[in-house]
Amino acid sequence: MSHLPTTILIAEDDPVFRRVMGFSISRVGLTVESVSNGQSAYDRLCQGGIDFLVPDHQMPVCSGLELLEKLAANSQIDRPPTILCTAKGLELDGQGLQDQYELVAVMHKPFSPRKLSELILQHVRRGPANAAPPLHLNVPVVGSPGAEVVGDG
């Protein structure tokens, strides 16, 4: 019988946003670890015990996409379910990235850290075997003019 995933790894180079995401995710009862770049995230994932990954797309040392490539190239590491966060808008093919890397979602900044927490919690509660299909989300911060939520259905 598998255990309920509880340890979330955040890889985000912005220290304030990293703390805000960590606080929001921990408030829903999940354990949070955080690092400031993709290489540190890769090193931590090599140690095991991470159940969900939330990398930023653009980070120093190793980007979120470089991290996903490294994980795909190393069959010794079980890549956890992943939500990729990005500040890139139209220049990024979110749906293509979801398909290529089997992401739970791509969340475009600015987004609500609470919404991120809810999405992780929903995925965790379902478990990997019963997970919902990936979502491509542009989740706005409350009050963002012109922002919309785009689903995969």
Side-chain angles (χ1 to χ4, degrees):
M1 184 172 179
S2 65
H3 73 289
L4 182 65
T6 59
T7 304
I8 314 305
L9 178 61
I10 297 170
E12 167 64 58
D13 58 317
D14 180 319
V16 174
F17 195 55
R18 188 171 59 238
R19 281 193 301 273
V20 168
M21 285 193 301
F23 176 76
S24 181
I25 294 168
S26 67
R27 288 199 57 178
V28 298
L30 302 170
T31 300
V32 176
E33 295 184 29
S34 62
V35 295
S36 62
N37 64 65
Q39 183 60 51
S40 295
Y42 180 79
D43 294 343
R44 177 59 189 90
L45 287 160
C46 286
Q47 297 171 21
I50 298 297
D51 301 300
F52 204 99
L53 175 62
V54 182
D56 187 22
H57 178 268
Q58 288 185 277
M59 294 181 286
V61 184
C62 175
S63 74
L65 294 183
E66 291 169 333
L67 170 61
L68 294 172
E69 286 292 331
K70 284 180 155 194
L71 293 172
N74 186 341
S75 62
Q76 301 298 312
I77 300 174
D78 290 329
R79 186 177 66 84
T82 302
I83 294 175
L84 181 68
C85 301
T86 181
K88 290 189 173 278
L90 297 175
E91 69 267 29
L92 188 69
D93 179 9
Q95 187 60 55
L97 290 173
Q98 276 188 261
D99 295 342
Q100 180 178 354
Y101 296 107
E102 300 177 357
L103 302 172
V104 171
V106 173
M107 294 187 75
H108 294 271
K109 297 176 184 175
F111 60 81
S112 161
R114 191 187 79 195
K115 180 65 178 173
L116 172 65
S117 300
E118 291 169 0
L119 188 57
I120 292 170
L121 197 55
Q122 288 171 6
H123 190 81
V124 165
R125 285 181 176 158
R126 281 189 194 108
N130 299 319
L135 299 174
H136 184 216
L137 301 176
N138 181 12
V139 182
V141 172
V142 175
S144 293
E148 62 181 314
V149 177
V150 179
D152 194 35

